[in-house]
Amino acid sequence: METIRCLILGSGPAGYTAAIYAARAGLAPVIYEGLQPGGQLTTTTDVDNFPGYPQGVEGNQMMEDMREQAERFGTEIRPAIAVKADLSAAPYTLTFDDGSQVQCQTLIIATGATAKYLGLADEEKYKGQGVSACATCDGFFYRKKNVAVVGGGDTACEEASYLAGLAAKVYLIVRKPFLRASKAMQEKVMTNPKIEILFETNTEGLFGTDGVEGAHVVYRRGLPDERHYDIAIDGFFLAIGHHPNSELFMPWVKTDESGYILTEGATPRTGVPGVFAAGDVADPHYRQAITAAASGCKAAIEAERYLSEHGL
Ligand code: NDP
């Protein structure tokens, strides 16, 4: 079986940065791109807070740039998705969705996080037919239509603002009586005449014969003035946070109660020798491209040290 010195799972800012450092250190890294090549930034619009891009940069472009930089130093990029991991003894064995298996001396887990859904049966029913967790991917289909975005964080506000540029009207469905987003984002949605914020509101279901035509919502559920009503929408966008893609590694590494991989102190070490975690899969707090990139860098430096300490 092929043995890779430094195997990186995931191709977001953490994975690519790890690859750039590992390749430059001569570790011949191999990246497996995973479920979403380029990671979550490929589903965003402009990135304005990554240093080095004074005019901002489109998310896809930034990931293309990172990929090119990783390849420039000899990173090999493979398209498969890991489906099984055996971290019981080094070298570790990974199995992929194309049936292939490889071993690795060091592993950098940079598998990121995936959008959460509310858990309504109707979300499944209308997935791809009006239900989406990515406004920038699917917003185009809702030009001059009515849509709803669920959530009150920065993502929800960002998505609502983006959709307001395309759609006729955007409902922002927020379960609390306030937004959790940063002040700047709050200001943006509150001053946009196309966005109507439905505070203290939850979604109970969706309806429509040929795709989504509306949502059943409830205002102040469980309280004396509880009120059930419907809103007419063609698109229903989830922006209620993410869950870490750590399931494969659960038997071997420690995680917190939400599944985020726990690392040792400020290092990316997982506790399994030679296995490191970087980016959103291990970060419930910051979840920024720049923090993911930084942890990818640390993971590659750790991998290099581990290999040299073990004479590998
Ligand atoms: P957050 O966890 O910050 O917010 C999630 C939102 O969804 C909250 O309003 C939460 O409500 C709501 N929610 C969660 N579960 C449900 C549910 N079952 N039903 C209804 N509503 C629900 O996630 P984000 O994705 O918005 O942001 C993640 C991180 O990324 C944050 O740190 C954020 O600051 C950052 N970010 C930064 C950006 C930027 O700097 N430009 C852009 C986007 C994200 P409640 O408040 O009631 O818990």
Side-chain angles (χ1 to χ4, degrees):
M1 197 187 307
E2 177 188 8
T3 301
I4 293 167
R5 290 185 81 203
C6 179
L7 194 157
I8 300 166
L9 295 178
S11 52
Y16 280 141
T17 306
I20 292 165
Y21 273 77
R24 284 172 54 83
L27 308 190
V30 176
I31 285 192
Y32 280 87
E33 284 180 315
L35 208 55
Q36 189 173 35
Q40 291 177 62
L41 281 183
T42 59
T43 66
T44 190
T45 42
D46 288 342
V47 179
D48 280 328
N49 50 13
F50 200 93
Y53 292 102
Q55 307 307 322
V57 59
E58 208 265 317
N60 271 297
Q61 184 59 52
M62 188 163 100
M63 297 322 297
E64 258 312 304
D65 290 348
M66 287 195 194
R67 181 190 171 101
E68 205 179 306
Q69 197 173 350
E71 284 181 318
R72 184 178 142 214
F73 298 109
T75 303
E76 186 184 338
I77 300 173
R78 299 182 185 172
I81 300 165
V83 293
K84 197 169 166 220
D86 180 355
L87 310 186
S88 56
Y92 306 114
T93 306
L94 275 298
T95 308
F96 296 90
D97 62 339
D98 58 6
S100 62
Q101 273 197 330
V102 298
Q103 288 192 318
C104 61
Q105 291 165 333
T106 60
L107 174 66
I108 296 176
I109 302 168
T111 45
T114 301
K116 279 188 196 162
Y117 285 78
L118 293 171
L120 300 171
D122 289 339
E123 287 171 324
E124 276 304 313
K125 181 171 168 191
Y126 294 107
K127 218 176 237 181
Q129 284 191 289
V131 172
S132 166
C134 178
T136 46
C137 316
D138 301 326
F140 177 78
F141 301 113
Y142 302 95
R143 216 168 261 277
K144 302 209 162 56
K145 295 188 172 174
N146 293 350
V147 297
V149 177
V150 184
D154 281 319
T155 305
C157 292
E158 206 170 76
E159 305 242 307
S161 303
Y162 173 75
L163 287 166
L166 297 164
K169 179 178 179 89
V170 180
Y171 294 100
L172 184 58
I173 304 177
V174 183
R175 66 180 175 182
K176 293 225 173 99
F178 54 85
L179 293 170
R180 177 204 284 235
S182 61
K183 282 276 167 272
M185 287 308 284
Q186 292 195 22
E187 183 75 20
K188 213 169 161 185
V189 294
M190 284 179 173
T191 55
N192 191 321
K194 279 196 186 171
I195 301 176
E196 183 181 345
I197 308 180
L198 307 177
F199 284 112
E200 295 182 83
T201 302
N202 280 283
T203 311
E204 300 200 296
L206 301 168
F207 60 88
T209 40
D210 229 359
V212 171
E213 289 170 17
H216 305 298
V217 298
V218 52
Y219 171 69
R220 286 170 67 83
R221 184 161 54 195
L223 296 170
D225 55 350
E226 171 180 300
R227 186 164 56 88
H228 295 261
Y229 64 101
D230 292 346
I231 52 172
I233 50 165
D234 306 284
F236 184 75
F237 290 85
L238 283 310
I240 59 168
H242 291 79
H243 70 82
N245 298 318
S246 59
E247 288 83 359
L248 285 191
F249 318 102
M250 291 275 193
W252 324 103
V253 302
K254 290 198 192 87
T255 60
D256 70 7
E257 68 281 356
S258 307
Y260 287 94
I261 296 177
L262 293 171
T263 55
E264 294 174 354
T267 77
R269 291 180 217 136
T270 62
V272 179
V275 178
F276 309 98
D280 284 13
V281 73
D283 177 12
H285 301 296
Y286 305 107
R287 295 181 289 198
Q288 302 296 301
I290 189 71
T291 51
S295 65
C297 157
K298 290 188 205 173
I301 291 173
E302 289 280 346
E304 204 234 327
R305 286 186 187 155
Y306 174 88
L307 289 168
S308 70
E309 277 164 16
H310 290 78
L312 295 166

